[in-house]
Amino acid sequence: MDKFRDECGVFGIFNHDEAARLTYLGLYALQHRGQESAGMVTSDGNKLNGFRGMGYVSDIFKEPQLSGLPGRSAIGHVRYSTAGGVSLREAQPFLVDGYRGQIALCHNGNLPYASQVREELELSGAIFSSTSDTEVVLHKIARSREPDLVGAIVDTFTEIEGAYSMLFLTRDRLIAVRDPRGFRPLALGKLGDAYVLASETCAFDLIDAVYLRDVQPGEVLVIDEEGLHASYPLPKERHSHCIFEHVYFSRPDSIVFGRSVNKSRHKMGQQLASECPADADIVVPVPDSGTAAAIGYASQSGLKFRFGLVRNHYVGRTFIEPQQSIRHFGVKVKLNAVRDLIEGRRVVLIDDSIVRGTTSKKIVQMVRQAGAKEIHVRISCPPTKASCFYGVDTPTRDELIAANKSVDEIADFIGADSLGYLSLDGMLKACGDAPGSRHCTACYTMNYPLKVTRSARTKMEREEGVLAVESMWPRH
Ligand code: SF4
């Protein structure tokens, strides 16, 4: 499907006899955040052991792998690459030995300056085992003069800016760090005497853990035998939570940034109905992510809600992409229209975003072929006009249809009778926010909360013309 792609998911647990198995379940619940690779490191109090693999969590971890990961604390990761290559070398957690002992690390987010720091490190003799931006953090920690790991982490992140919700595991501690802007989510929960951490609270629900609070932006949270030790040593910044987590990435059953994702999506749909009404008979979601907004749209507009598109949930990674000659097959294998519900009706089709427009075009065509009289497409967020540099895989502006066409031109392109987007203020209001106060909305507004340098050698360079380029590296 033509979507922004999820970044990664992290899970951690401290002080539980079943640490590896619970981490397996936690990663299973976070699978939607990354399907390329998964990994886990556990600590038995003396030694760290890890296992990583390519593919889905359930394919990688079987009984022998879990039995080989003893201990009462663990961290785990599911990955979709936003920086670096796609191979086992990039799979996380990373596990290294240093003069402070063994350290394991996993990361959700992106460090836009990593390639520049990496170049500097390589020039001074450092060698790397992967292309991942995360490995740079381990090098900076190893070089810090701070005697303790927490001091070295603070040292590193005082210098390197970016988007990061990170978990570190040592022999006897689990450490969570969240960047001062709080781009990506990270929640803290409790399961009996154990503490758990996860990108989304849906991971807590699966293991019957209770959500306590979010790890705060700029917080360093140490969990050890004595309990929780929270500190806020990183420079304060205006919060910039990724609003796309509420629009699309996170599961609707999660609480993200302290707010129910389902509630936000439902309100987006209601707001969309007020802003972009349509003279129609039924409201149909593009499943699954458009469903909550469609229910909200139907409740506000008084139109009937119908599951007019059915999704095949069993299309996995191994699906062989069709050749050009039968390319419509690609969408049909994932979605199918229910003719009985659609035929002869005026349909409001609700989706959460249009990225390139190619998939929307095929879906509109499919609904038309099922006999719809009119198709009015409504999108539960504003036009997506810019790329993300904070841990989300996005196309370049050249490929983003809303960066290059007007709303009417997009409607023409996808073949809809009308097209309407939720306004920026409407989206922020639906997420419980006032305009611009605590969310990042850069992929709609190009208002990037963390500026980039000309020398930060990431895909930002390709967007140089549209970014406010500032010299913010090095920070000191
Ligand atoms: Fe999220 Fe968009 Fe900001 Fe990226 S640019 S962090 S996707 S809101």
mmCIF file of all heavy atoms in Angstrom, residues 5 27 53 66 72 79 86 92 96 99 104 125 143 159-160 178 213 238 252-254 284 313 315 323 342 375 443 471:
data_model
loop_
_atom_site.group_PDB
_atom_site.id
_atom_site.type_symbol
_atom_site.label_atom_id
_atom_site.label_comp_id
_atom_site.label_asym_id
_atom_site.label_seq_id
_atom_site.Cartn_x
_atom_site.Cartn_y
_atom_site.Cartn_z
ATOM 1 N N ARG A 5 5.877 4.669 5.871
ATOM 2 C CA ARG A 5 6.097 3.381 6.522
ATOM 3 C C ARG A 5 6.522 3.564 7.968
ATOM 4 O O ARG A 5 7.333 4.435 8.293
ATOM 5 C CB ARG A 5 7.170 2.603 5.777
ATOM 6 C CG ARG A 5 6.585 2.058 4.492
ATOM 7 C CD ARG A 5 6.895 0.620 4.338
ATOM 8 N NE ARG A 5 7.856 0.482 3.270
ATOM 9 C CZ ARG A 5 8.414 -0.642 2.907
ATOM 10 N NH1 ARG A 5 8.159 -1.751 3.542
ATOM 11 N NH2 ARG A 5 9.261 -0.683 1.932
ATOM 12 N N LEU A 27 6.975 -7.738 21.440
ATOM 13 C CA LEU A 27 7.373 -7.459 20.045
ATOM 14 C C LEU A 27 6.283 -7.901 19.076
ATOM 15 O O LEU A 27 6.047 -7.259 18.051
ATOM 16 C CB LEU A 27 8.690 -8.177 19.715
ATOM 17 C CG LEU A 27 9.919 -7.699 20.482
ATOM 18 C CD1 LEU A 27 11.150 -8.499 20.059
ATOM 19 C CD2 LEU A 27 10.164 -6.210 20.256
ATOM 20 N N GLY A 53 17.162 -11.731 13.924
ATOM 21 C CA GLY A 53 16.873 -12.412 12.662
ATOM 22 C C GLY A 53 16.118 -11.506 11.717
ATOM 23 O O GLY A 53 15.646 -10.436 12.095
ATOM 24 N N LEU A 66 14.252 -18.864 22.277
ATOM 25 C CA LEU A 66 13.821 -18.278 23.552
ATOM 26 C C LEU A 66 14.503 -18.975 24.724
ATOM 27 O O LEU A 66 14.885 -18.332 25.709
ATOM 28 C CB LEU A 66 12.291 -18.354 23.679
ATOM 29 C CG LEU A 66 11.526 -17.468 22.684
ATOM 30 C CD1 LEU A 66 10.028 -17.728 22.752
ATOM 31 C CD2 LEU A 66 11.797 -15.983 22.940
ATOM 32 N N ARG A 72 16.342 -12.264 33.762
ATOM 33 C CA ARG A 72 15.139 -11.584 34.277
ATOM 34 C C ARG A 72 14.962 -10.191 33.691
ATOM 35 O O ARG A 72 14.090 -9.438 34.118
ATOM 36 C CB ARG A 72 15.221 -11.505 35.809
ATOM 37 C CG ARG A 72 15.124 -12.886 36.473
ATOM 38 C CD ARG A 72 15.343 -12.819 37.974
ATOM 39 N NE ARG A 72 14.476 -11.860 38.624
ATOM 40 C CZ ARG A 72 13.205 -12.070 38.969
ATOM 41 N NH1 ARG A 72 12.658 -13.243 38.699
ATOM 42 N NH2 ARG A 72 12.503 -11.145 39.565
ATOM 43 N N ARG A 79 12.095 -3.899 13.436
ATOM 44 C CA ARG A 79 12.711 -2.859 12.616
ATOM 45 C C ARG A 79 12.120 -2.771 11.225
ATOM 46 O O ARG A 79 11.890 -3.785 10.571
ATOM 47 C CB ARG A 79 14.210 -3.136 12.482
ATOM 48 C CG ARG A 79 14.944 -2.128 11.605
ATOM 49 C CD ARG A 79 16.440 -2.354 11.671
ATOM 50 N NE ARG A 79 17.142 -1.257 11.030
ATOM 51 C CZ ARG A 79 17.631 -1.286 9.791
ATOM 52 N NH1 ARG A 79 17.499 -2.356 9.044
ATOM 53 N NH2 ARG A 79 18.253 -0.236 9.286
ATOM 54 N N VAL A 86 19.479 -2.943 4.757
ATOM 55 C CA VAL A 86 18.493 -3.946 5.165
ATOM 56 C C VAL A 86 19.188 -5.296 5.199
ATOM 57 O O VAL A 86 19.253 -5.992 4.203
ATOM 58 C CB VAL A 86 17.308 -3.992 4.178
ATOM 59 C CG1 VAL A 86 16.255 -4.970 4.667
ATOM 60 C CG2 VAL A 86 16.713 -2.612 3.988
ATOM 61 N N GLN A 92 18.477 -4.985 15.225
ATOM 62 C CA GLN A 92 18.751 -4.573 16.599
ATOM 63 C C GLN A 92 18.061 -5.532 17.560
ATOM 64 O O GLN A 92 17.139 -6.227 17.165
ATOM 65 C CB GLN A 92 18.238 -3.136 16.810
ATOM 66 C CG GLN A 92 18.953 -2.122 15.942
ATOM 67 C CD GLN A 92 18.557 -0.694 16.286
ATOM 68 O OE1 GLN A 92 18.159 -0.376 17.399
ATOM 69 N NE2 GLN A 92 18.675 0.199 15.293
ATOM 70 N N VAL A 96 27.369 -4.931 22.447
ATOM 71 C CA VAL A 96 28.811 -4.697 22.352
ATOM 72 C C VAL A 96 29.470 -4.832 23.726
ATOM 73 O O VAL A 96 28.801 -4.754 24.758
ATOM 74 C CB VAL A 96 29.116 -3.282 21.792
ATOM 75 C CG1 VAL A 96 28.656 -3.160 20.354
ATOM 76 C CG2 VAL A 96 28.512 -2.189 22.665
ATOM 77 N N TYR A 99 34.706 -0.922 28.007
ATOM 78 C CA TYR A 99 35.331 -0.938 29.332
ATOM 79 C C TYR A 99 34.308 -0.786 30.454
ATOM 80 O O TYR A 99 34.585 -1.061 31.619
ATOM 81 C CB TYR A 99 36.445 0.103 29.438
ATOM 82 C CG TYR A 99 35.993 1.544 29.490
ATOM 83 C CD1 TYR A 99 35.716 2.165 30.709
ATOM 84 C CD2 TYR A 99 35.864 2.288 28.326
ATOM 85 C CE1 TYR A 99 35.302 3.479 30.753
ATOM 86 C CE2 TYR A 99 35.452 3.601 28.366
ATOM 87 C CZ TYR A 99 35.168 4.198 29.576
ATOM 88 O OH TYR A 99 34.760 5.491 29.637
ATOM 89 N N ALA A 104 23.718 -3.436 25.564
ATOM 90 C CA ALA A 104 22.829 -3.673 24.414
ATOM 91 C C ALA A 104 21.996 -2.420 24.214
ATOM 92 O O ALA A 104 21.678 -1.705 25.172
ATOM 93 C CB ALA A 104 21.930 -4.865 24.672
ATOM 94 N N GLY A 125 39.610 6.713 13.177
ATOM 95 C CA GLY A 125 40.020 5.309 13.310
ATOM 96 C C GLY A 125 38.925 4.349 13.720
ATOM 97 O O GLY A 125 39.166 3.153 13.851
ATOM 98 N N ARG A 143 33.505 6.542 23.862
ATOM 99 C CA ARG A 143 34.536 7.578 23.910
ATOM 100 C C ARG A 143 34.306 8.603 24.999
ATOM 101 O O ARG A 143 35.177 9.443 25.244
ATOM 102 C CB ARG A 143 34.586 8.293 22.569
ATOM 103 C CG ARG A 143 35.318 7.476 21.541
ATOM 104 C CD ARG A 143 34.944 7.885 20.140
ATOM 105 N NE ARG A 143 35.457 6.887 19.227
ATOM 106 C CZ ARG A 143 36.488 7.097 18.418
ATOM 107 N NH1 ARG A 143 37.072 8.251 18.370
ATOM 108 N NH2 ARG A 143 36.916 6.124 17.634
ATOM 109 N N GLU A 159 25.241 16.151 22.851
ATOM 110 C CA GLU A 159 25.948 16.516 21.636
ATOM 111 C C GLU A 159 25.153 16.168 20.373
ATOM 112 O O GLU A 159 25.091 16.951 19.432
ATOM 113 C CB GLU A 159 27.283 15.762 21.615
ATOM 114 C CG GLU A 159 28.293 16.364 20.693
ATOM 115 C CD GLU A 159 29.612 15.622 20.785
ATOM 116 O OE1 GLU A 159 29.950 15.128 21.878
ATOM 117 O OE2 GLU A 159 30.266 15.530 19.754
ATOM 118 N N ILE A 160 24.550 14.985 20.355
ATOM 119 C CA ILE A 160 23.847 14.539 19.142
ATOM 120 C C ILE A 160 22.357 14.793 19.292
ATOM 121 O O ILE A 160 21.720 14.263 20.202
ATOM 122 C CB ILE A 160 24.067 13.032 18.897
ATOM 123 C CG1 ILE A 160 25.538 12.731 18.681
ATOM 124 C CG2 ILE A 160 23.262 12.564 17.692
ATOM 125 C CD1 ILE A 160 25.836 11.267 18.433
ATOM 126 N N ARG A 178 14.599 9.308 26.113
ATOM 127 C CA ARG A 178 13.727 9.871 25.068
ATOM 128 C C ARG A 178 14.220 11.265 24.726
ATOM 129 O O ARG A 178 14.569 12.048 25.634
ATOM 130 C CB ARG A 178 12.289 9.903 25.580
ATOM 131 C CG ARG A 178 11.278 10.168 24.505
ATOM 132 C CD ARG A 178 9.893 9.749 24.939
ATOM 133 N NE ARG A 178 8.915 10.276 24.020
ATOM 134 C CZ ARG A 178 7.784 10.866 24.380
ATOM 135 N NH1 ARG A 178 7.466 10.974 25.659
ATOM 136 N NH2 ARG A 178 6.956 11.342 23.474
ATOM 137 N N ARG A 213 2.791 5.622 32.863
ATOM 138 C CA ARG A 213 3.003 6.965 32.315
ATOM 139 C C ARG A 213 3.906 6.868 31.103
ATOM 140 O O ARG A 213 4.455 5.803 30.825
ATOM 141 C CB ARG A 213 3.634 7.881 33.370
ATOM 142 C CG ARG A 213 5.068 7.490 33.755
ATOM 143 C CD ARG A 213 5.669 8.523 34.696
ATOM 144 N NE ARG A 213 7.001 8.201 35.173
ATOM 145 C CZ ARG A 213 8.140 8.491 34.563
ATOM 146 N NH1 ARG A 213 8.146 9.075 33.371
ATOM 147 N NH2 ARG A 213 9.307 8.181 35.099
ATOM 148 N N ARG A 238 11.108 22.543 22.843
ATOM 149 C CA ARG A 238 9.665 22.498 22.658
ATOM 150 C C ARG A 238 9.249 21.101 22.170
ATOM 151 O O ARG A 238 9.890 20.544 21.281
ATOM 152 C CB ARG A 238 9.307 23.543 21.600
ATOM 153 C CG ARG A 238 7.862 23.701 21.341
ATOM 154 C CD ARG A 238 7.726 24.767 20.272
ATOM 155 N NE ARG A 238 6.360 24.819 19.818
ATOM 156 C CZ ARG A 238 5.746 25.935 19.471
ATOM 157 N NH1 ARG A 238 6.395 27.078 19.511
ATOM 158 N NH2 ARG A 238 4.517 25.910 19.076
ATOM 159 N N PRO A 252 -4.873 1.554 16.965
ATOM 160 C CA PRO A 252 -5.933 2.342 17.591
ATOM 161 C C PRO A 252 -6.187 1.966 19.045
ATOM 162 O O PRO A 252 -6.741 2.765 19.809
ATOM 163 C CB PRO A 252 -7.165 2.051 16.724
ATOM 164 C CG PRO A 252 -6.836 0.837 15.934
ATOM 165 C CD PRO A 252 -5.356 0.789 15.800
ATOM 166 N N ASP A 253 -5.765 0.742 19.445
ATOM 167 C CA ASP A 253 -5.975 0.333 20.833
ATOM 168 C C ASP A 253 -4.848 0.810 21.744
ATOM 169 O O ASP A 253 -4.817 0.458 22.927
ATOM 170 C CB ASP A 253 -6.136 -1.194 20.915
ATOM 171 C CG ASP A 253 -5.039 -1.955 20.194
ATOM 172 O OD1 ASP A 253 -4.418 -1.397 19.275
ATOM 173 O OD2 ASP A 253 -4.786 -3.119 20.542
ATOM 174 N N SER A 254 -3.917 1.601 21.228
ATOM 175 C CA SER A 254 -2.810 2.114 22.044
ATOM 176 C C SER A 254 -3.110 3.491 22.605
ATOM 177 O O SER A 254 -3.891 4.254 22.031
ATOM 178 C CB SER A 254 -1.526 2.210 21.196
ATOM 179 O OG SER A 254 -0.990 0.934 20.955
ATOM 180 N N VAL A 284 -17.669 4.566 3.715
ATOM 181 C CA VAL A 284 -16.890 3.321 3.619
ATOM 182 C C VAL A 284 -15.430 3.610 3.974
ATOM 183 O O VAL A 284 -14.813 4.497 3.374
ATOM 184 C CB VAL A 284 -16.970 2.739 2.182
ATOM 185 C CG1 VAL A 284 -16.007 1.575 2.000
ATOM 186 C CG2 VAL A 284 -18.394 2.319 1.860
ATOM 187 N N HIS A 313 -6.155 -10.172 5.383
ATOM 188 C CA HIS A 313 -5.133 -10.000 6.425
ATOM 189 C C HIS A 313 -3.979 -10.982 6.288
ATOM 190 O O HIS A 313 -3.051 -10.944 7.075
ATOM 191 C CB HIS A 313 -5.774 -10.167 7.806
ATOM 192 C CG HIS A 313 -6.656 -9.019 8.160
ATOM 193 N ND1 HIS A 313 -6.219 -7.948 8.906
ATOM 194 C CD2 HIS A 313 -7.938 -8.743 7.852
ATOM 195 C CE1 HIS A 313 -7.196 -7.078 9.040
ATOM 196 N NE2 HIS A 313 -8.258 -7.527 8.420
ATOM 197 N N VAL A 315 -1.922 -11.419 3.663
ATOM 198 C CA VAL A 315 -0.899 -11.094 2.669
ATOM 199 C C VAL A 315 0.382 -10.740 3.430
ATOM 200 O O VAL A 315 0.439 -9.726 4.094
ATOM 201 C CB VAL A 315 -1.320 -9.900 1.795
ATOM 202 C CG1 VAL A 315 -0.260 -9.613 0.743
ATOM 203 C CG2 VAL A 315 -2.651 -10.168 1.148
ATOM 204 N N GLN A 323 3.722 -8.491 -12.007
ATOM 205 C CA GLN A 323 4.455 -7.758 -13.028
ATOM 206 C C GLN A 323 3.621 -6.595 -13.540
ATOM 207 O O GLN A 323 2.415 -6.525 -13.294
ATOM 208 C CB GLN A 323 4.797 -8.699 -14.179
ATOM 209 C CG GLN A 323 5.820 -9.724 -13.747
ATOM 210 C CD GLN A 323 6.093 -10.727 -14.833
ATOM 211 O OE1 GLN A 323 5.349 -10.812 -15.817
ATOM 212 N NE2 GLN A 323 7.158 -11.466 -14.666
ATOM 213 N N ILE A 342 -22.155 -1.554 -2.224
ATOM 214 C CA ILE A 342 -21.712 -0.363 -2.963
ATOM 215 C C ILE A 342 -22.569 -0.042 -4.184
ATOM 216 O O ILE A 342 -22.821 1.132 -4.499
ATOM 217 C CB ILE A 342 -20.224 -0.559 -3.356
ATOM 218 C CG1 ILE A 342 -19.360 -0.368 -2.102
ATOM 219 C CG2 ILE A 342 -19.805 0.405 -4.459
ATOM 220 C CD1 ILE A 342 -17.913 -0.694 -2.300
ATOM 221 N N ILE A 375 -18.258 8.788 -6.053
ATOM 222 C CA ILE A 375 -17.237 8.483 -5.026
ATOM 223 C C ILE A 375 -16.651 9.799 -4.541
ATOM 224 O O ILE A 375 -16.044 10.558 -5.316
ATOM 225 C CB ILE A 375 -16.118 7.577 -5.589
ATOM 226 C CG1 ILE A 375 -16.719 6.263 -6.106
ATOM 227 C CG2 ILE A 375 -15.073 7.294 -4.508
ATOM 228 C CD1 ILE A 375 -15.756 5.406 -6.884
ATOM 229 N N CYS A 443 5.466 17.125 8.028
ATOM 230 C CA CYS A 443 5.172 16.543 6.712
ATOM 231 C C CYS A 443 3.947 17.191 6.067
ATOM 232 O O CYS A 443 3.666 16.941 4.897
ATOM 233 C CB CYS A 443 5.072 15.018 6.772
ATOM 234 S SG CYS A 443 4.059 14.406 8.092
ATOM 235 N N SER A 471 23.005 26.131 10.904
ATOM 236 C CA SER A 471 24.191 25.469 11.399
ATOM 237 C C SER A 471 23.980 25.125 12.862
ATOM 238 O O SER A 471 24.118 25.963 13.731
ATOM 239 C CB SER A 471 25.408 26.363 11.235
ATOM 240 O OG SER A 471 26.512 25.705 11.753
#
